[in-house]
Amino acid sequence: MGFDLLSLGSQGVLTTQRQLNTTGHNINNVNTEGYSRQQVVQQANDARFWGGNAYGDGVHIESVRRLYDQFAVRELNHTTTQVSHFDELDNGLGIVNNLLSQSGSKVPQSMNDWYEALKALADSPNDMGSRKVLFEQGKLFAANMNDVYSTLQQQYFDSNQEIHAAVDRVNGLANELRDINHALMSAPTGTANDLLDRHDSLIKELSQYTRVSENRREDGGFNILIGSGHNLVSGPMSSELRLVPGHPDSQQLAFALVEGKSLKTIQTDGIDGRLAALSQYRDKVIPKVMDQLGRMSIAFSDQVNALQKQGITLKNAVGGDMFTDVNDPKIAASRALIPADSKTRISVYIDDVNALKSGEYALKFDGSQYHVKNPDGKTITVTPTGTPPTFNLDGLRVEMKTPPEVGEKILLRPTRTGAQDIAMVMKDAADIAAQAFVGNASHTLGGASLEVKTVGPLKQFHVAINDTADKFNVLDMQGNLLLANQAYPPKGDITVGGTVFSLSSGAHPQDMFTINMELADGDNSNLLTMQQLQTKKTTDDHRSTIIDLYQAITTEIGVDKSTVDKMGQVAKAENNAAAERVAAVSGVNLDEEAANLMKFQQAYMASSRIMTAANETFDALLNATR
C-alpha cells in the first residue's frame, strides 16, 4: 500500500511539475509575437483490479496541446494580405497625388502663364520684350512637363527595385519555411508546438507579400501555395520566385517560379498583397498618368505648331514649329514597343489630337488579319492599305514599314512619352507668328485647311473652290486668274508665283481662302486665334480643353486614392477582428495563468504530501515488523 501511495504521489508531483513548467512557459512568452498558448492535457491511468474491485492508479500526461484555431488563423492571413495590398497601393497613389496636386501644380500654372504672356504680346505684337517673355514661358512649360515625367519615371524604376526586394524576402521566407518543414518532419509527434508557432509567424509575414494557402502533409510538413495556386514550398523542398524581363516591354518585370529545371511565368492576377500592389502601381497607375500628361503635351504643342504655320513672323516668313514636332520620325518610331530580337519596324503618327486617346494598344497579326486591342480592352480588326501598309485608328496613323510576324505582339504607346518629348525648338522670339496669312475675308464652311510652305513674290491671292467642290482656282486680289480649274483636292503642293502651299480635302462648294502675307505693323490676328486654345474644347471629341486633361487625371488619381483608402480601412477592421479571434484562442491571459499557477502549486504540494504519507506509512510498517 505504501508503494502504491508513493507511486501516486510521484505521478502527481511530476504531472503538476509539468503543468507548472507549461504555465511558466506561457507566462514567459506573453509578449512573444505569434506565440500560441500551450496546455497540458492529463489523463487518469487505467485502473488496477484487486479482489474483484477497480482501484485508481494515478495520472499521466497525455499531450501538451497548442491552443489554435485554424480557421481564425487563415482569416487573419487573408486579411493581412488585403491590408498589405491596400496600404502599399495607397502609398503609391499618395505619392502621385501629391506630385500632381502640389509640385505638379506648376504644370497648369506655367501653361496659364504662357497664355497670359500671349495676351500681353497680342497687345503689342511687334514688341521684342513681350515676345521674349512668351518665348521663355514656353520653355518653362516644356521644362515643367519634362520634370514631372522624370519624377514619374523615377517612381517606375523605384517600384521595380521594391519588387526586387520583396521577391528576395519571399524567397528568404520560403527557405525558412522549408527548414522548419524539415524539422517538423523529423520531430517526435506532439513536440513541435514552438516550431508550429514559428511556421505560422512566417506564413503571416509571407501573406503580406502575396496570397498564401497551405495544407498539412501526412509526414508532418506543409505544402505552401502562393497566388492562384503556385507551389512555393513542398515539404523539405522550396521553389524560387524570380523576376524576368517582360515581353515585349523588358522593363515591365514579370514574376516567374523556378520549379526544378523549369521556369513558369506567373500572372499578377491573383497574387494579391504587396507584390500585386507594387505591380499595379508600376504597370497601371504610373503609365496612366504618363499617358494623360503626354496627351496634354501633344495636344498643346501640335495645336500651337499648327497655328504657327498659319502665320507670318517678324522676318516676313511663314511661321515654323514653336515646340517639338509631335510627328518627328524618331518620336513616331519610339511609340511602337518592339521586342529586341524582332525585325518589325512601325511608326505611329498623330493626325488628330481631338480623337487621340490615352493608353496602350496591342497589335497582333494572326497570319491573315491584324487585330488591335485598344485601351478600353476592345479588340478591333484593322485592314492596312498602301505602301508601306498603313491603318488609321483613334486619330493615329500607323505605318508598318516592316510588318510584324505571325503571332508577334507589338505595343503601341502613342502618348506615353509625350511629356518627355516636348521641348521649345524655336530659337528666336522674332519667329513667333503674330499675323495670320489666312485673312478675315475668307469664307469657309467646310473643314479644309490651307498651309503655306514657301513664301514667294506672290504674297496676296485667293483660293476659290467651285460650285461642285471638284475644282479650284487661284486668283490675285483683283480677281484675275492665276491658276484655273485645278482638280480638287490636289494630289500635292501647289506653286503659284513662287509661293508654295498645300490645300487639304473637306472644302464645301464656293469656299474661298484669302491669303495675305504682306507684313502688317501691329497685326495680331494669329495671336488672337492662339488665345482661343485656352478655352476651346479641342480634345476628347470636343468635350475637353487642353488644361481639362490635367484636371481630369488629377481628379481621377484623387478618387482612386480615396477609394483605396476606404477599402483599406475595411480590410483593417476585418484584420483586427480576425486577430482578436486568434488572440481569444491562442493568446496568453496573465490573470488566467496566475490562477493556474496557484492551482498547480497547491496540487504539487498536495501530491508531495501523498509521498510524505506513503513514506510515513512505509516506516510504520517496517517498525511494526521488528
Side-chain angles (χ1 to χ4, degrees), residues 257-386:
L257 203 62
V258 180
E259 296 178 338
K261 295 183 179 180
S262 64
L263 185 67
K264 180 177 69 174
T265 303
I266 298 176
Q267 299 297 323
T268 54
D269 297 339
I271 287 182
D272 292 339
R274 190 162 180 260
L275 286 175
L278 287 168
S279 298
Q280 184 177 347
Y281 177 60
R282 180 198 65 185
D283 300 339
K284 295 183 179 180
V285 176
I286 294 176
K288 178 167 64 176
V289 179
M290 284 182 168
D291 285 336
Q292 188 75 333
L293 292 179
R295 186 157 70 112
M296 177 183 175
S297 300
I298 289 170
F300 180 74
S301 56
D302 181 68
Q303 294 182 37
V304 171
N305 286 347
L307 289 175
Q308 269 285 117
K309 294 174 183 177
Q310 294 180 16
I312 304 298
T313 71
L314 277 182
K315 301 174 182 177
N316 201 21
V318 175
D321 289 337
M322 180 179 290
F323 298 100
T324 307
D325 180 7
V326 299
N327 286 325
D328 179 274
K330 289 184 179 180
I331 295 177
S334 70
R335 292 176 181 141
L337 195 63
I338 301 169
D341 57 349
S342 174
K343 297 180 180 179
T344 301
R345 294 294 176 266
I346 294 177
S347 293
V348 181
Y349 298 93
I350 295 172
D351 287 345
D352 184 4
V353 296
N354 181 50
L356 187 62
K357 294 182 178 180
S358 298
E360 179 179 271
Y361 297 77
L363 172 65
K364 198 169 185 179
F365 181 54
D366 64 7
S368 60
Q369 291 182 316
Y370 289 90
H371 304 282
V372 178
K373 186 176 181 181
N374 69 10
D376 298 327
K378 183 180 179 181
T379 300
I380 302 168
T381 300
V382 295
T383 304
T385 58

Side-chain angles (χ1 to χ4, degrees), residues 493-508:
D493 293 342
I494 304 101
T495 302
V496 181
T499 295
V500 181
F501 66 92
S502 63
L503 182 62
S504 70
S505 60
H508 282 192

Side-chain angles (χ1 to χ4, degrees), residues 147-343:
D147 288 344
V148 175
Y149 180 88
S150 296
T151 302
L152 290 169
Q153 189 176 47
Q154 187 59 51
Q155 281 294 306
Y156 188 96
F157 294 147
D158 289 347
S159 62
N160 262 342
Q161 293 301 314
E162 291 187 53
I163 293 173
H164 269 291
V167 167
D168 289 343
R169 182 53 187 154
V170 168
N171 288 327
L173 290 169
N175 292 335
E176 291 184 62
L177 287 165
R178 175 200 62 199
D179 294 341
I180 288 178
N181 267 355
H182 190 272
L184 287 171
M185 294 163 63
S186 304
T189 303
T191 63
N193 288 336
D194 293 326
L195 279 175
L196 289 171
D197 283 344
R198 177 60 180 158
H199 168 88
D200 285 351
S201 293
L202 293 175
I203 290 294
K204 183 180 178 182
E205 183 181 353
L206 181 61
S207 67
Q208 296 177 11
Y209 294 96
T210 179
R211 183 198 305 173
V212 183
S213 58
E214 58 177 339
N215 57 75
R216 193 76 184 262
R217 295 158 52 104
E218 293 182 358
D219 56 13
F222 288 86
N223 290 330
I224 300 169
L225 309 176
I226 61 173
S228 56
H230 307 287
N231 204 334
L232 183 67
V233 179
S234 179
M237 304 293 292
S238 64
S239 301
E240 179 188 358
L241 188 64
R242 283 188 186 175
L243 291 171
V244 296
H247 188 82
D249 186 354
S250 60
Q251 292 184 349
Q252 196 171 18
L253 301 177
F255 299 108
L257 203 62
V258 180
E259 296 178 338
K261 295 183 179 180
S262 64
L263 185 67
K264 180 177 69 174
T265 303
I266 298 176
Q267 299 297 323
T268 54
D269 297 339
I271 287 182
D272 292 339
R274 190 162 180 260
L275 286 175
L278 287 168
S279 298
Q280 184 177 347
Y281 177 60
R282 180 198 65 185
D283 300 339
K284 295 183 179 180
V285 176
I286 294 176
K288 178 167 64 176
V289 179
M290 284 182 168
D291 285 336
Q292 188 75 333
L293 292 179
R295 186 157 70 112
M296 177 183 175
S297 300
I298 289 170
F300 180 74
S301 56
D302 181 68
Q303 294 182 37
V304 171
N305 286 347
L307 289 175
Q308 269 285 117
K309 294 174 183 177
Q310 294 180 16
I312 304 298
T313 71
L314 277 182
K315 301 174 182 177
N316 201 21
V318 175
D321 289 337
M322 180 179 290
F323 298 100
T324 307
D325 180 7
V326 299
N327 286 325
D328 179 274
K330 289 184 179 180
I331 295 177
S334 70
R335 292 176 181 141
L337 195 63
I338 301 169
D341 57 349
S342 174
K343 297 180 180 179

Side-chain angles (χ1 to χ4, degrees), residues 114-115 117-118 121 130-142 297 300-310 313 318-326 421-434 526-527 530 533:
W114 187 86
Y115 283 118
L118 182 65
L121 179 59
S130 298
R131 284 175 169 266
K132 288 180 179 179
V133 171
L134 180 64
F135 182 80
E136 292 300 324
Q137 287 296 342
K139 290 171 63 177
L140 181 60
F141 170 74
S297 300
F300 180 74
S301 56
D302 181 68
Q303 294 182 37
V304 171
N305 286 347
L307 289 175
Q308 269 285 117
K309 294 174 183 177
Q310 294 180 16
T313 71
V318 175
D321 289 337
M322 180 179 290
F323 298 100
T324 307
D325 180 7
V326 299
D421 297 331
I422 187 172
M424 175 69 80
V425 296
M426 183 180 289
K427 303 301 182 183
D428 188 349
D431 291 331
I432 297 174
N526 203 40
L527 297 178
M530 284 188 188
L533 294 179

